[in-house]
Amino acid sequence: MTNQLAQPESAYETAQSQLRSVAMMLDLDAGVTELLASPKRELTVRFPVRMDDGTTRVFTGYRVQHNEARGPVKGGLRYSPLVNLDEVRALAMWMTWKCAVVNIPYGGAKGGVTVDPRAISEAELERMTRRYAAEISIIIGPEKDIPAPDVGTDGRIMGWFMDTYSMMHGHSVPGVVTGKPVELGGSFGRIEATGRGVAYITAEACKRQRINLRGATVAVQGFGNVGSVTARLLAQSGAKVVAVSDSRGGIYNPNGLDIEDHYARRKEGGLLGDHPNHGVDHDDITNEDLLTLPVDILIPAALEGQITDQIASRVRCKMVVEAANGPTTAAGDTVLAERGIYVVPDILANAGGVVVSYFEWVQDLQSFFWEEKEVNSRLERIMVNAFNEVASMAEQRIVRLRQGAYIVALKRVVDAMKMRGIYP
Ligand code: GLU
């Protein structure tokens, strides 16, 4: 039953409830579960930035490290007015499972600043980034914790971050962040990696579910870096992308949208709603309408908490592929399960970004760079193997894909914790 008065479920609540349900299934030690249910280390920083008009503004930022049993911690930096400590905790926890599910040697972390990056100037954004980088540098480093882009951040910001850290250390340290421009030691294929990974995983999921991707209808919520690349690659594979949206709202054409055109316009900084043919070859829809369209594949690629129990009861797709982190609440997931809707969980579906971040870090540490073809084919191998491993685990345990992914990930993390033992 939906309680109309209930507070909306927070990302941290979703993450903890996902962990606890699988920990129970695996009969995990209570102490281990308690340790994994909260992050290992949390840093909150408040720092001043000189604004263009000469005033001083104080910003709040975070860096949270969830678990480092399997290696240095890894995860993005988010710039958004919605960033808060609980959200960063959830995102850090999901990074631990994500790295474990695709078996790359990292633990999970996340960071962010509570700011609307579009509401400050480029120079202010640079000064804010540099000061934030300096503030969190006490727990960051290529052998400790390696940030990357996330919502509201990009290669340019990673470049400033890398430069600031390098200035503080007196030499260039490219391996301190990933998602950098290629000119600064970034990897070919990193920008598209998350969307490319989502596309590989969607193709595998379609094979399992006997859905023909060619001609399948797709709705993508979010037309940022992840959503736009996903939509474009799926359209190139012959899928019919009928709806996409950005933060202002969405567009819908049941006969399919011209994704190449929208993709090219986005690269120029255009918003979906500003298209010259706006209202001619598609209808305007809200983000909520998009989630409940009759499509084969629904891809939430925006923010967490979108598919609540109420939305889940109205969703009309065969399959959800979670390209965003935490787009489905725990209550929403229960409803999707009851309704028999196949869900490919975020920690598997969107792991392509951190996989190519791992490749970037390896290339930086070795100062030896790969061609894009090699990056993409290694990415494909890792994503396809991870999907099959998770799907087999889910079949074997007779659970859903999300639980299957959590079981694979938790086993790896818990095994590493056990082998390392407890210090001292
Ligand atoms: N922010 C991305 C994520 O949520 C990438 C993290 C990384 O590359 O370290 O997976």
Side-chain angles (χ1 to χ4, degrees):
M1 273 294 284
T2 306
N3 179 355
Q4 298 291 336
L5 297 174
Q7 283 283 325
E9 183 183 308
S10 75
Y12 197 34
E13 285 166 339
T14 307
Q16 289 190 321
S17 134
Q18 288 167 347
L19 168 69
R20 288 192 198 284
S21 72
V22 179
M24 219 140 69
M25 219 181 263
L26 292 178
D27 211 9
L28 268 195
D29 180 89
V32 172
T33 309
E34 189 187 334
L35 202 56
L36 291 172
S38 318
K40 172 191 170 103
R41 190 178 286 130
E42 306 179 339
L43 176 64
T44 299
V45 291
R46 291 189 191 81
F47 55 95
V49 174
R50 216 173 344 98
M51 305 305 277
D52 292 343
D53 63 4
T55 59
T56 300
R57 184 166 149 197
V58 178
F59 289 86
T60 304
Y62 308 95
R63 185 69 184 175
V64 170
Q65 302 174 340
H66 173 253
N67 179 283
E68 52 187 6
R70 300 183 68 255
V73 288
K74 183 94 191 77
L77 299 176
R78 180 173 289 204
Y79 288 175
S80 148
L82 303 175
V83 163
N84 61 72
L85 184 55
D86 266 359
E87 184 192 48
V88 180
R89 286 171 168 150
L91 292 162
M93 198 189 289
W94 284 323
M95 285 308 301
T96 299
W97 316 136
K98 197 185 297 192
C99 293
V101 101
V102 288
N103 210 1
I104 56 174
Y106 292 131
K110 204 81 174 196
V113 179
T114 313
V115 61
D116 178 355
R118 287 171 302 192
I120 59 177
S121 74
E122 166 116 358
E124 290 167 340
L125 188 66
E126 178 175 347
R127 288 196 292 274
M128 190 204 78
T129 298
R130 288 184 180 280
R131 180 63 188 247
Y132 168 63
E135 294 287 347
I136 66 167
S137 70
I138 52 171
I139 59 167
I140 299 291
E143 68 297 324
K144 290 197 278 195
D145 180 351
I146 307 107
D150 195 74
V151 174
T153 56
D154 56 18
R156 183 185 47 145
I157 290 170
M158 295 307 115
W160 293 329
F161 196 106
M162 180 278 246
D163 181 68
T164 305
Y165 187 88
S166 298
M167 287 295 121
M168 294 171 71
H169 287 76
H171 58 97
S172 283
V173 190
V176 68
V177 282
T178 57
K180 300 178 295 296
V182 171
E183 294 81 351
L184 297 181
S187 176
F188 286 114
R190 175 61 186 86
I191 294 179
E192 298 83 12
T194 311
R196 188 173 290 278
V198 175
Y200 290 144
I201 290 283
T202 306
E204 286 306 300
C206 281
K207 276 190 220 156
R208 284 256 164 184
Q209 290 302 99
R210 302 191 194 293
I211 294 173
N212 189 354
L213 184 56
R214 195 158 267 288
T217 52
V218 181
V220 182
Q221 185 200 36
F223 206 59
N225 178 39
V226 179
S228 65
V229 172
T230 302
R232 181 173 190 227
L233 293 177
L234 290 177
Q236 285 173 359
S237 307
K240 203 201 294 180
V241 181
V242 296
V244 293
S245 65
D246 57 29
S247 54
R248 290 214 214 144
I251 55 175
Y252 175 51
N253 180 342
N255 299 315
L257 296 164
D258 183 354
I259 293 299
E260 268 323 306
D261 182 33
H262 290 292
Y263 185 81
R265 288 181 53 80
R266 177 189 176 269
K267 283 204 132 177
E268 305 295 309
L271 285 160
L272 293 168
D274 299 335
H275 195 279
N277 282 358
H278 191 65
V280 178
D281 63 0
H282 52 245
D283 295 327
D284 284 339
I285 52 169
T286 64
N287 262 301
E288 190 168 322
D289 295 336
L290 182 141
L291 296 173
T292 53
L293 286 174
V295 287
D296 295 313
I297 306 166
L298 173 64
I299 305 188
L303 292 174
E304 54 267 16
Q306 299 298 299
I307 306 181
T308 58
D309 48 352
Q310 298 183 32
I311 296 284
S313 64
R314 291 166 40 219
V315 155
R316 285 183 288 167
C317 61
K318 294 184 184 139
M319 185 196 292
V320 176
V321 182
E322 296 183 335
N325 290 312
T328 310
T329 64
D333 205 34
T334 305
V335 175
L336 294 179
E338 282 163 7
R339 296 188 53 210
I341 295 170
Y342 192 73
V343 180
V344 187
D346 49 2
I347 55 170
L348 171 64
N350 72 29
V354 73
V355 168
V356 177
S357 274
Y358 167 55
F359 297 162
E360 179 174 333
W361 179 73
V362 168
Q363 292 172 76
D364 287 338
L365 295 184
Q366 302 186 336
S367 298
F368 181 74
F369 291 88
W370 314 348
E371 287 176 13
E372 181 160 6
K373 240 186 359 216
E374 186 173 356
V375 170
N376 291 346
S377 74
R378 281 180 189 262
L379 170 65
E380 180 170 18
R381 209 178 322 145
I382 290 183
M383 297 306 284
V384 170
N385 285 346
F387 180 87
N388 287 315
E389 212 170 336
V390 166
S392 305
M393 177 62 82
E395 261 166 36
Q396 189 191 321
R397 294 256 183 176
I398 322 179
V399 293
R400 304 181 73 229
L401 233 40
R402 188 182 317 277
Q403 281 78 35
Y406 263 85
I407 294 171
V408 169
L410 260 174
K411 274 180 179 290
R412 288 196 176 126
V413 174
V414 171
D415 282 352
M417 287 165 71
K418 282 202 182 124
M419 285 181 212
R420 287 180 68 152
I422 295 178
Y423 173 87

